[in-house]
Amino acid sequence: MELLLILLVVSATSVLLILNLKFRKKKPAKLETLPAPFKKLLSTNVEFYINLDLEDKKFFESRVQQFLSRIRITGIKTSIDDLDKVLIAASAIIPIFKFPDWEYINLNEVLLYPDAFSETFELEGEGRNMLGVVGTGPYQNLMILSRQELRNGFFNKNSTKNTAIHEFVHLIDKTDGEVDGIPEVILSRQYILPWLQLVRKKIEQIKEGNADINPYGATNQAEFFAVVSEYFFEKPDLLQSRHPELFNMLTTIFKHPAKNKKN
Ligand SMILES: [Zn+2]
């Protein structure tokens, strides 16, 4: 009898322990507070944030704060202000918003150049046609963005382009070790083949001039993924009506409807 009692107590304790562990696991992480001026900048400049409900807005703010406390942002021959910081962080959070534990493990610092730069990161002279880049080799864990282009991506409401989001999508793609247009870390195995088939079909359409997708997306699979992701987050409704198959696949990849709730 005594043994039975002990057994009962032991099993009841372990049940409680397990329940407690499960409960703790489910408990959301503490949200970080974003300073009020930064919130204001989000709510006047970032459409994606504006269209979130109140709870998601708080979560977005917390992640912007986390990003800014971990990633260094440095202005090169330009000063940087709060708006630059907020726009860079927003560009980072938008594509991985539905992945609550995501961290850009392959990024330490973002360098902000005043405008276009060359392939050797020169700000003067010929061949300055770069607006954003994810570093490789000695520039590993570094991203370079044009300040002018960063702002264009958010200020031009009619565009399907956003260079900063484009570069962060390259980083997401790079997490599995290769920038190849197949984001294996976030895309389940069963979707890889259908995704690649769709990518090839769409690249052909771009080359034939039959798609309203930035022709730069036809460069290769990686550029295609980054270019259509910009379109997906900038103009989801338009993408859905013109390229429903692509819209559905990107919804699967980013686990986000990316729909503009107000329109
Ligand atoms: Zn690119």
Side-chain angles (χ1 to χ4, degrees), residues 132 166-167 170 216 222-223 226-227:
H166 177 113
E167 299 308 329
H170 278 325
Y216 188 62
E223 294 307 336
V227 160

Side-chain angles (χ1 to χ4, degrees), residues 148-163:
Q148 190 58 49
E149 188 64 11
L150 169 72
R151 290 177 174 223
N152 288 347
F154 287 91
F155 293 173
N156 187 350
K157 302 285 181 216
N158 295 317
S159 166
T160 59
K161 293 182 189 174
N162 187 311
T163 296

Side-chain angles (χ1 to χ4, degrees), residues 67-85:
F67 180 89
L68 292 175
S69 56
R70 206 183 72 76
I71 308 291
R72 197 165 48 237
I73 298 174
T74 310
I76 305 292
K77 293 193 177 168
T78 185
S79 58
I80 48 166
D81 58 23
D82 289 351
L83 180 60
D84 298 315
K85 291 180 193 167

Side-chain angles (χ1 to χ4, degrees), residues 163-223:
T163 296
I165 290 181
H166 177 113
E167 299 308 329
F168 279 102
V169 169
H170 278 325
L171 272 191
I172 295 165
D173 188 359
K174 197 184 177 191
T175 313
D176 57 38
E178 263 185 299
V179 186
D180 56 1
I182 312 165
E184 280 158 296
V185 175
I186 56 171
L187 184 63
S188 311
R189 195 173 276 267
Q190 77 262 32
Y191 295 114
I192 292 180
L193 203 58
W195 168 242
L196 283 176
Q197 282 165 346
L198 183 61
V199 170
R200 282 174 202 141
K201 189 171 95 181
K202 287 290 175 188
I203 286 182
E204 277 316 304
Q205 279 182 17
I206 300 174
K207 284 182 176 166
E208 288 161 7
N210 294 331
D212 68 326
I213 297 171
N214 178 359
Y216 188 62
T219 310
N220 55 43
Q221 288 176 185
E223 294 307 336

